[in-house]
Amino acid sequence: MPVSRRAVVAAAALAPLAARFAAAAEPLIRRPIPSSGEMLPAIGIGTSRRYEVEPTADKIAPLKEAVQTFVSQGGSVIDTAPSYGTAEDVLGVILSETGLRQKVFLASKVDTTGRDQTRAEFERSLKRMKVDSLDLVAVHNLIDVAENLAVLRDLKAAKRIRYVGVTVWRDNQLDALEAVMKRETLDFIQVNYAIDNRAAAERVIPLAADRGVAVMTNVPFGRDRLFKAVQGKELPAVAKDFGCTSWPQFFLKYVLGNPAVTCPIPGMAKSAYVEDNLAAARGTLPDAAQRKQMETFIDAV
């Protein structure tokens, strides 16, 4: 994690406890899943990279603490995938040891080909996470998308999953994603979107709003690209207008300022990161004019 993020967390730890507890007591912004009306807290945990650790007690301990903090402060969405190394196994340990499954909106993916192989992968995910159903399963990176969506719809009909979707994480996948969204009925998409990577906001995210599809966004920090860009810099003055006190909040509040975004999923491997990131989903969000100021600032760094 870049120095700037560590510095942010260290500064937050020195903030008056009363102020921090007051902020945590403010409810998280919640947004609807259009296909059902179910409301989700507007920040989730992404497990790519951060949760790909050896599933031993010492390695899992800080992640377990982070998940407990996340749920205790109102979070629920946790996103993972079979391709994220040991992340599903790690989540299985955390959820079984904490008893938090019923408080978590648990999302995973399928990324194989062929109906039998996809069903087998789904069953492995359940076994690894020690659960008997999932809230959302998406076709990862549009792999064998028509066949895999058919499998997922069968699982949804059998009430083994509640929602189906598709994911991408690169701009060169957006045209293909748009085509899938136009021909398929989906509950969710997951797409890459950040203040310095706004291509998805041009067509895909507006299309999701038009078609009643929830939008989960990945890499909101640009794989730490944004932290490196602002290292050593102070927040711009506009940040004060919507109660933003750190760079992670700045980046996340920008994404959430788009009303068609349901839930960004930054990686959160420490409780301090959870507290900082969740603050982005509390209080005021930037309006269109403020978001334009934020873009101008970041484009110039």
Side-chain angles (χ1 to χ4, degrees):
M1 186 61 69
V3 171
S4 57
R5 179 64 191 251
R6 290 199 298 268
V8 162
V9 172
L14 295 174
L17 286 178
R20 292 172 62 200
F21 290 150
E26 189 173 1
L28 294 177
I29 293 166
R30 299 172 72 87
R31 288 193 168 158
I33 301 172
S35 65
S36 69
E38 178 181 355
M39 302 296 288
L40 290 181
I43 296 281
I45 290 178
T47 60
S48 175
R49 301 171 64 201
R50 306 295 185 233
Y51 285 64
E52 296 180 43
V53 302
E54 187 178 353
T56 58
D58 61 324
K59 297 290 187 181
I60 290 177
L63 302 174
K64 179 179 175 180
E65 182 182 0
V67 170
Q68 290 175 306
T69 300
F70 174 72
V71 174
S72 72
Q73 295 196 8
S76 70
V77 177
I78 300 180
D79 177 78
T80 191
S83 58
Y84 296 170
T86 58
E88 287 188 332
D89 300 283
V90 167
L91 281 177
V93 174
I94 292 171
L95 295 176
S96 64
E97 290 185 353
T98 61
L100 290 175
R101 171 64 186 101
Q102 298 307 313
K103 295 184 177 181
V104 167
F105 183 97
L106 190 57
S108 192
K109 307 176 182 72
V110 292
D111 60 3
T112 189
T113 60
R115 294 197 176 201
D116 289 344
Q117 291 87 341
T118 297
R119 284 181 176 275
E121 184 176 57
F122 170 75
E123 298 294 345
R124 283 194 299 272
S125 290
L126 296 184
K127 184 176 180 180
R128 294 172 76 185
M129 289 187 278
K130 307 180 192 299
V131 298
D132 55 14
S133 65
L134 293 172
D135 297 291
L136 164 65
V137 180
V139 179
H140 202 20
N141 287 322
L142 306 179
I143 294 171
D144 198 12
V145 66
E147 285 294 295
N148 279 334
L149 280 174
V151 173
L152 296 184
R153 289 182 179 123
D154 287 346
L155 291 168
K156 182 178 180 181
K159 300 189 183 303
R160 303 195 69 195
I161 62 178
R162 299 198 298 129
Y163 299 103
V164 303
V166 298
T167 79
V168 300
W169 69 279
R170 300 189 307 270
D171 285 355
N172 64 7
Q173 298 171 300
L174 294 180
D175 288 344
L177 173 60
E178 183 179 13
V180 170
M181 292 171 67
K182 287 179 177 179
R183 70 173 184 261
E184 301 283 358
T185 299
L186 304 167
D187 298 306
F188 274 82
I189 63 167
Q190 184 181 135
V191 65
N192 49 302
Y193 180 46
I195 191 171
D196 68 339
N197 182 16
R198 305 188 288 266
E202 295 175 9
R203 293 183 306 181
V204 169
I205 294 177
L207 178 61
D210 290 343
R211 291 186 62 81
V213 179
V215 178
M216 194 177 289
T217 61
N218 54 44
V219 290
F221 303 141
R223 296 287 191 207
D224 298 338
R225 180 182 65 243
L226 283 166
F227 290 128
K228 293 175 182 176
V230 300
Q231 187 168 324
K233 294 180 171 60
E234 294 185 0
L235 287 166
V238 69
K240 295 180 180 178
D241 296 340
F242 44 87
C244 178
T245 61
S246 74
W247 284 115
Q249 293 171 29
F250 186 85
F251 303 139
L252 290 169
K253 278 182 176 284
Y254 173 84
V255 172
L256 284 173
N258 186 325
V261 170
T262 310
C263 181
I265 48 168
M268 292 189 268
K270 295 182 180 180
S271 289
Y273 297 168
V274 169
E275 292 181 1
D276 192 27
N277 289 346
L278 287 184
R282 294 189 173 98
T284 306
L285 294 175
D287 61 23
Q290 291 166 333
R291 293 177 80 243
K292 182 59 68 175
Q293 292 180 61
M294 297 166 79
E295 292 172 4
T296 299
F297 178 87
I298 290 297
D299 289 348
V301 298

